[in-house]
Structure formats: structure tokens, C-alpha cells
Amino acid sequence: MSLVSGPGRGAGMTEMPAEMRLFADKHVRYIQSLDTRKDELEYWLTEHLRLNGLYWGLTALYLLGHSDALSRSDIIDFVLSCLHDNGGFGAAPGHDAHMLYTVSGVQILATLDAFDELEKRIPGGRQKIGKYIADLQDPETGTFAGDEWGEQDTRFLYGALNALSLMGLLDLVNVDKAVEYIQSCVNFDGGYGTSPGAETHSGQVFTCVSALAIAGRLDLVEHDKLGAWLSERQLKNGGLNGRPEKQEDVCYSWWVLSSLATLKKLHWIDGEKLTSFILQCQDPELGGFADRPGDMVDVFHTVFAVTGLSLLKYPNLEEVDPV
Amino acid sequence: MASHGISRTSGTLVRSEEQRQNELQQIATYKDLVDLVNTKVAERQYTVEVLGLVTKLLNENPEYYTIWNHRRRVLIALLPATPPDSDDASSPERPHEFIDGDLQLTFALLRKFPKCYWIWNHRNWILRKGESMSDTKLASRLWSGELQLVGKLLHADSRNFHAWSYRRDVVAQLQRLQAKAADSAAVRGLVESEFEYTTKMIKANLSNFSAWHNRSKLIPRLLNERQANGTTRRKMLEDELQLICTAINTDPFDQSIWFYHQSLMSTISSDCPRESMIVQDLSNGERLRHYAREMEYIKEILEDEADCKWIYESLLSTASFYVQVEAGTKAFTTLEMQSWLDQLRRLDPLRRGRWDELGRRLNL
Ligand SMILES: [Zn+2]
């Protein structure tokens, strides 16, 4: 997922019926408040998600049209304080480097258009980060490990291709081999799992379809089969689930919807019903979105709710790139 | 940070000053432990004492991935670099005590946090470490124990995809060891018992798609292990179709069942890659007989369940398979296909865009 710049679209908020209202100002304030909760134990227990959390919050703010709600220079300072000498990012200062956070770090720098600043502060920084990612590719299978300890997952493969393409460094890795690996994860339903033989899962469908899109190989996807499977994720209440016979959850608004958008099959589900489901998951008083109506909000579900709404062309939101 | 299924009211209660002070105290204690562990590891104090501190911290926060890395750093220093000589009686027990300790720690944590990637990951690492210090027999025993563990976790949550992935990995490891020991009977026995396991899971809950999925992946392997011929392969296909048709009859509204039905139908098609086929030498006549029989059976269910959209979808997709083999069929009419599509539009308005596109694709 990355942001494309451009004007927000048309229709005024005033035309919206009450139950279709997005409490945008509340969500902005909720995201701004996230870093002020240092007197809550939860803040410290989730330090391993700080950099992703920042990316999620920042993306939501951009889409809500409040890109200036967090200080740009503070963000850059923080991001670079997570960068290790080996070119990988940790979740927070003092945390080990890992693919997941390296991708978030690169995504944040791309969102802020800050690669020049990176080079100014750390000469050769971009190449260094690119090398860290490229070294995690398994030359035998084409997939990627998360870090030096070797866990492999299609999440890391997507992250690697995404970050490298944002930095213009895709030529550092063997893209064809990575594509081959994705093909070995495909199932009869057209979907993909975490590794060869694993069950199709919306999250992995997103990572594999997006990776193929970056590699320019969407021709390999079985559009109708996978589109059908994805469209069956929508339940009667409008929400989307992640696998057959599971419960709906706002985060799948992103995994499923972006995959449908990449396959150009957004019209295979009921967008209006999904919009209304997502909006029911917001906290109208304190801001933020939860997995389901009435549950506790968090920044993870907030960003995927907002990106989902953006793909559904909800008024006054900036456009998001489904890949 | 990513919370699931926690009610909002339980979190937004205003804390009393006393509660706030309590929480600040907890934070201070937690941060002290974090600092202590990070400092000791930075100083390379890779000792049993530090391992204990790491355990304490991981029990409080198993998502803190850096601490799992620290744990491995400490263990690598504590464990012998080469397999212990079996004749050496000086301290044969010690290394395996560390392995056992970490197996216990990760099991206890997985019970509480069955979806935490880092715990699964560390368990895998410690087993590989254990294997490197064992002979083939002991290594097999180590990995076999994992099947029981993962069975317990799947008993608690039969759809946990971490657990299913781990199960497949354990089977792969065991097969690797059996191949090393040239024990082909054991390899086959393992695939057979995994297949039986999916039968058991499906019987317990028909809508367990994870089990259906695993079954679909096991069948081609099972047939290879059995060195099945055309006759036994046909028997397998018949049995599976029988099983799924009974399941459809039990709950025609369950999509897991229909996805498995669809997977079986796709193995019958000549488009199916040979290694995924159940019967590898099906004639077109046999294909048509299968398609016709399925459609007939599904139409029978229709008599009781006229409002089940899956029936119409399956009829249409089976019909598409049919016309791929024989275009000018009299087994069903375009008018019938048209009526199934109309039913889909009526029963499933959420996916209207998809049904419209299907209609255009099928020229209806
Ligand atoms: Zn969720």
C-alpha cells in the first residue's frame, strides 16, 4: 500500500445520512494521541510495533487529508533512530533489525518523500537498506527470510519487493525467482498461503497478488477463480472475513478489497454495505476503528478501515494505491 | 496494538488515581526488566542466569521479538557447537535440558498466545538445534512429539493456520528423517495417518475448511505412496465424491464444503496439472459421466433447498466444465442455465456484479 498524491474527490459531507458519517476529525485526534499514552502499560508492551504503528497512523492521516498532523522532522528523526548499521530497521531504537520494520521504515520515508534527507544524513543509506533486504532472499527458492534467524513467509517476500520498488532498487534481487516461489504457493481456489501447501488466506492473497503486481506478472493470477473466492469473503452484514466460515473483521477490508481492486473486480461485492459496516466500527466519540462494531479501537484497524473506505471511494478521502 | 474481540466498554473506564499509580509501578518494573536484559546481552553475559531473566520477560511479553533473538544468542553460547560424543559420559544430559526447557516454555506460551508468530518460530529453531545434537532416532522422537503438541493446539482451535502450517512442516521434517533412514514404510504410514487425521477433523466439524484443504493436498501424495493404479485411483475419487455429497446434503449452506466440492471437480478437468489429479487417465466419457451425475445429485438437493445459492453456483460451474468437453450437449439447456443465473441474482444480491459478468461470459 502506498499513497498517490492528487486532489480529494467531490461530494460534500453534508449529503451523508447520519449512519454513513465518517468522524474524520475524531480519527485525526485519536492518531495524534497515540504517542502520548506513555502512562499506560500497553504502550510499553507494544513497543515492538512502534514503527509499523507510525506508518499506519501516518497513512491514515494522509488519507484523511491531515498529513501535517504529525511533525515531519520528528518522524524522520524517529525512523532513522531505528536504522541499524547493516541497513535494516528495528521496531524502535534498540530493537533488532527485521524485514517487517525495514519495510515500514522505507514506506514512511517514501510517504514523506524523504529519501533525499536519508542520503544527506546517511550517505549511501538507500543502497545499504536495499542490500539488507536483498541479502535476505533465498537464492534456492526465491523467497525471503524475515531476518538473520531465517523464518520465511510470503509476507516478507511482498515486503521486500514493495520496499525495493519504492526505492527503485528492484534490480538488486531475482524477481523471476520470487515470482516462481509465489506460483508454488497457489491453491486450487486461485488463492495463496504462507508457503507451498498452506491454505489460502486473505492476508497472503494480498501479499502475493501485490508482489505479482509489482513484478508486472498479474497475468499469472487466475482472475475469475480468485475473484470469486475473494467475493465470497463478504458476509450478510456487509463485512469481510479472511477465510471461509470465519468471522468478519475490519482489517480484511484492506486485504480483500485491495486484492479485488488489483484484479479490477471491486464490483464483485456490495461496496455500499461494506462502507456501512466499516463505519459502524468507528468510535464516534474518541475516534479510531475496531475489528467489529462496539470493540476496542486500535491504529491497525484504523488504517485498514480508512484505506478500505478510500478504495470504496468514500467522499473527501485521498486515493490509495491498492498495491 | 491490534486487538481482536475486546469490547470497547472494558477499555475506556476511567482509571482511579490509585489504579494509575499501580500501572505506573508496573511500567517501571517492566522497563527495569527490559533494561536489565538488554544490558546483560549487550555485555555478552550469556549465562544461565540471564536465560532466566529472558524467560521472565518473554512470559510477560512474547511479542517482543528482539528478546527471542537474545534468547537464541544466549543458547548458542550455552549449547555445545558440535554433537556430543555418545561415549563421553562427562555431562551428557545438560544440552538436552536446555532443549526441553525451551520446548516447555514455548508450549506454555503457545497455549496462551496460539497466533504469535515469534513463539512458533522459536520452537522450530530449538527443535533444529536439538536435532543437530541428536542421532537420527532421537531426532525422530523429538519431531514426533510435535505432532501431539500441534494436535492439542488444533483441538483448542481447529482453524489456527499457524498450527496447520506447523503440522505440515513437522510431517516434512519427519519424512526427511525417514528418508535418511531409508524407511519407506514409515513415510507412507505418516501420509496415511495424516489423511486419517483430516477425516477425523472433518467428521468433528464439516465446516473446517483447513482440514478439507489439507486433505486435498494429501491425496495426490497418498496415491503416490500407495503406488495406486487406475482402479484404486478411481476408487479414491468415488469415495471423495461420496463423502462430499453426504456433507452437502448435511449442510448445503456451508461454503467450506462447496469449496472442497469445487476442488474435486477441478481435479477431474483436463486442465488440472497432472500431479494434482486424482485419476490421471480419465477419459472424456468418464468426465461427462461425473459431471452429469454431480448435477443430478445437486438438483435432488434443490428440491428441499430452493433458496441455497451454492446449489445454483455449483450447477453453473459444473455445466461450464461439461460444455468444455462437449459443446452441443443435451444434458441441460441454455434455458436452465439462464434460470440458475437468475436464482443467483435473486438469492445473492451482494455479488450481483459477479453474476452479471458470469452471464456475459457464458453468453446467457
Ligand atoms: Zn483484525
Side-chain angles (χ1 to χ4, degrees), chain A residues 38-42 44-46 48-49 90-91 95-96 98 101 149 151 153 155 186-188 194 197-199 201 224 228-229 231-235 243-246 249 265 267-270 273 281-283 291 294-296 298-301, chain B residues 1-8 11-12 15 20 23-24 26-27 30-31 60-61 63-66 69 72-73 76 117-118 121 125 159 161 165 168 207 209-210 213 217 253-256 259 262-263 266 309-310 313 350-351 353-354 357 361:
Chain A
K38 295 181 184 168
D39 63 344
E40 294 174 21
L41 183 60
E42 186 65 14
W44 297 101
L45 289 178
T46 56
H48 60 277
L49 285 173
H95 291 237
D96 285 350
H98 191 282
Y101 313 101
W149 300 100
E151 183 193 8
D153 186 320
R155 288 179 303 154
V186 74
N187 290 317
F188 79 89
T194 50
E199 179 185 352
H201 183 291
D224 283 353
W229 186 89
S231 77
E232 293 297 348
R233 298 309 104 236
Q234 187 165 41
L235 304 176
R243 288 183 284 161
E245 300 296 326
K246 299 278 285 181
D249 181 334
K265 302 222 179 294
H267 59 289
W268 280 22
I269 60 163
D270 188 327
K273 274 208 144 170
C281 296
Q282 62 186 332
D283 181 339
D291 58 345
D295 280 358
M296 274 270 268
D298 60 63
V299 66
F300 173 82
H301 288 94
Chain B
M1 180 162 280
S3 61
H4 285 110
I6 301 162
S7 166
R8 196 179 297 152
T12 44
R15 288 176 296 176
R20 203 180 101 87
E23 192 158 351
L24 288 177
Q26 278 179 297
I27 292 172
Y30 172 75
K31 284 174 73 178
E60 287 183 37
N61 190 0
E63 291 279 3
Y64 196 161
Y65 69 96
T66 303
N69 296 346
R72 289 186 279 271
R73 291 180 180 111
I76 287 170
Y117 284 95
W118 312 113
N121 191 24
W125 183 86
R159 293 297 302 279
F161 78 87
S165 287
R168 281 184 290 268
S207 78
F209 185 71
S210 306
H213 164 84
K217 295 280 175 184
F253 288 89
D254 189 305
Q255 60 169 275
S256 300
F259 275 115
Q262 187 195 319
S263 101
S266 66
K309 74 137 181 174
W310 295 100
E313 196 193 332
L350 287 179
R351 281 159 279 270
R354 185 174 143 209
E357 226 173 288
R361 192 158 55 80

